[in-house]
Amino acid sequence: MLREFLTHLLTPAPPHIKEMGYLHELIAISERHKRCRRAWQPHLDFSKDFILQAVNLCADRNKAVILGSGLLLDIPLAELSNAFEEVLLVDIFHLSDTRRTASKYSNVFLLNADIAGIAHSVYRHRSIIPVQKTTGFPGCDFNTSLVISANILSQLSLCPASFLLKKCHASETDLQNWAKTLVNDHLKRLANLNCTVCLITDHSIIYRDKTGKISAEEDTLHGIKPRLKLPGIQIQKEWQWEMATLGEISRYYSVTLKVMGVIRSK
């Protein structure tokens, strides 16, 4: 915890990135990966392999855009760099370790951008911001051959909603409906892209007790099923991610995410 606190304190970042919890989440994920590396590895391997399947379906190899590049744990960056003329990593913020990794490849670039397009307005107005009807995503253009939405769909509203609960006392019902709108908007924009699309997302969370028995299961996408929202699906797979082993969050339960991958090739 001390290392996380010091990293947060010493990392330069815009005020809304720190105050809304985005930086804290990135640091926490990095530290949890170190503690749960073995449990996470199957999910990370599945994610990388699934992305490479999408690469094989690309008719051309001009530009790949990764939405939610995060810590690059689930991204086969070396293979993407070799396969495409340009690789663009898009996330609301990139830690220094990510920047150092990306700098090893001359054709890999980083873009700090809010994929949902609502964070700065939420921070400024302290209120729920209507989702703007836009097309495409930051960094995407006519030259884009592949767009990867990498384990970010269920996370789009996480920091903004937590911030609003503290700052404006928004009701949980309103925030749930807003989060659902963000998920739908992301899926619609993916569906409208004129290139190969690879979506990887968790869709439910499972809590297991000390014996391994499921004690609870919740939907993480607010009842939305991505498989029904992406037309022209060619490949679809499911797997599980043991995100928090017993004792990581609680001594009473572990946390597993059900993950799905969907590829649509133009």
Side-chain angles (χ1 to χ4, degrees):
M1 293 296 291
L2 178 60
R3 182 164 60 181
E4 291 183 34
F5 171 76
L6 289 175
T7 303
H8 189 276
L9 182 67
L10 297 174
T11 300
H16 74 288
I17 297 299
K18 284 196 171 186
E19 293 181 38
M20 293 181 73
Y22 288 105
L23 180 59
H24 175 269
E25 283 298 313
L26 279 170
I27 296 169
I29 290 170
S30 177
E31 294 301 317
R32 180 170 293 164
H33 171 249
K34 293 172 184 175
R35 295 190 296 267
C36 304
R37 185 184 300 268
R38 189 173 180 180
W40 281 29
Q41 200 58 51
H43 161 68
L44 301 180
D45 290 342
F46 271 121
S47 294
K48 290 177 180 178
D49 179 69
F50 197 71
I51 288 170
L52 293 178
Q53 290 182 55
V55 171
N56 290 333
L57 290 176
C58 292
D60 52 64
R61 305 283 182 88
N62 299 320
K63 179 180 180 181
V65 177
I66 295 87
L67 305 173
S69 47
L71 304 172
L72 301 176
L73 299 172
D74 49 0
I75 307 299
L77 190 58
E79 291 87 344
L80 289 169
S81 175
N82 286 331
F84 292 89
E85 294 180 12
E86 179 184 346
V87 178
L88 183 63
L89 308 176
V90 184
D91 215 324
I92 197 161
F93 190 76
H94 291 97
L95 294 179
S96 57
D97 285 350
T98 303
R99 293 184 175 278
R100 279 193 293 271
T101 300
S103 69
K104 297 176 183 178
Y105 307 92
S106 61
N107 63 337
V108 174
F109 305 94
L110 297 102
L111 175 62
N112 285 350
D114 175 19
I115 293 165
I118 45 86
H120 199 270
S121 293
V122 166
Y123 177 73
R124 186 170 68 250
H125 296 291
R126 295 325 200 243
S127 64
I128 292 175
I129 302 299
V131 178
Q132 301 297 315
K133 293 184 178 180
T134 57
T135 58
F137 292 96
C140 292
D141 54 31
F142 68 92
N143 203 39
T144 302
S145 306
L146 171 65
V147 171
I148 302 160
S149 176
N151 290 296
I152 194 175
L153 185 61
S154 68
Q155 306 300 302
L156 293 173
S157 65
L158 184 64
C159 287
S162 178
F163 177 78
L164 288 173
L165 274 174
K166 298 173 186 175
K167 298 297 182 179
C168 77
H169 307 294
S171 74
E172 291 196 13
T173 298
D174 287 343
L175 289 172
Q176 284 282 340
N177 290 334
W178 183 58
K180 187 173 182 178
T181 302
L182 290 173
V183 170
N184 264 322
D185 175 70
H186 189 84
L187 290 170
K188 287 177 181 177
R189 285 195 279 167
L190 286 177
N192 288 333
L193 291 172
N194 190 31
C195 64
T196 298
V197 173
C198 176
L199 168 68
I200 301 174
T201 181
D202 59 273
H203 59 85
S204 62
I205 185 169
I206 300 170
Y207 300 92
R208 286 190 170 91
D209 63 23
K210 292 181 179 180
T211 68
K213 181 180 178 181
I214 295 176
S215 56
E217 183 170 352
E218 300 172 1
D219 190 322
T220 61
L221 294 181
H222 316 286
I224 299 170
K225 298 188 180 300
R227 63 172 61 89
L228 302 179
K229 300 292 182 178
L230 276 174
I233 292 169
Q234 292 202 0
I235 300 177
Q236 185 173 301
K237 290 188 178 179
E238 299 227 14
W239 61 90
Q240 294 192 3
W241 173 13
E242 190 177 4
M243 191 267 292
T245 53
L246 187 65
E248 172 63 24
I249 293 177
S250 169
R251 60 178 177 169
Y252 300 109
Y253 62 84
S254 63
V255 177
T256 299
L257 296 174
K258 287 185 177 180
V259 181
M260 69 182 303
V262 179
I263 296 173
R264 185 215 63 196
S265 180
K266 279 287 187 178

